[in-house]
């Protein structure tokens, strides 16, 4: 029962945010694979950076334990029929709105 949220997040694509609670900087990402948002977040859990270049640099500078400062949230869940292209467009819109390319951890 307690893992129902994992199953729910495994079944949806969408746009998420990672907040650095120490600095307030944001990272906006998206999940479009068959494992959904949960699958993407598992990658962050395993590595601390999920393969993101800026988060990787941050953890190299501050140490892997710094990932404990990250807080995860969902900005938008995509319709089950949404294409990966649509989800990526929504991700880009959130990056522009929250200015994460200039003031956050998004390099692209």
């Amino acid at each position: 029962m307690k893992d129902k949220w994992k199953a729910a997040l495994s079944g949806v694509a969408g746009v998420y945010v990672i907040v650095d609670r120490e600095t307030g900087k944001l990272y906006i990402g998206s999940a479009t694979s068959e494992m959904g948002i949960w699958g993407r977040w598992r990658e962050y859990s395993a590595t601390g950076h999920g393969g993101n270049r800026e988060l990787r640099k941050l953890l190299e500078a501050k140490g892997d334990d710094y990932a404990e400062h990250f807080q995860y949230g969902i900005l938008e869940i995509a319709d089950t029929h949404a294409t990966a292209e649509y989800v990526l467009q929504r991700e880009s819109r959130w990056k522009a709105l929250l200015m994460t390319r200039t003031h956050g951890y998004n390099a692209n």
Side-chain angles (χ1 to χ4, degrees):
M1 283 292 210
K2 67 181 180 180
D3 291 339
K4 280 187 172 184
W5 64 273
K6 291 178 186 177
L9 291 179
S10 293
V12 294
V15 181
Y16 59 86
V17 61
I18 300 174
V19 180
D20 180 337
R21 292 180 306 200
E22 186 74 18
T23 66
K25 287 185 174 184
L26 306 176
Y27 170 76
I28 305 296
S30 64
T32 58
S33 74
E34 65 183 54
M35 288 300 297
I37 292 174
W38 173 244
R40 188 68 183 106
W41 284 1
R42 278 191 351 197
E43 293 176 30
Y44 288 102
S45 177
T47 65
H49 54 71
N52 173 269
R53 179 177 17 157
E54 297 302 313
L55 294 179
R56 188 181 308 129
K57 284 196 282 188
L58 178 67
L59 295 181
E60 286 172 3
K62 300 224 178 222
D64 290 340
D65 289 344
Y66 190 82
E68 295 189 24
H69 290 275
F70 298 160
Q71 180 172 309
Y72 296 78
I74 298 171
L75 296 174
E76 184 174 341
I77 291 176
D79 180 275
T80 56
H81 301 291
T83 64
E85 180 181 334
Y86 172 80
V87 175
L88 293 172
Q89 287 173 348
R90 298 301 300 157
E91 174 189 4
S92 184
R93 173 127 167 74
W94 280 103
K95 288 176 182 178
L97 178 69
L98 298 174
M99 300 177 64
T100 61
R101 292 180 183 108
T102 306
H103 302 292
Y105 295 124
N106 287 103
N108 63 347

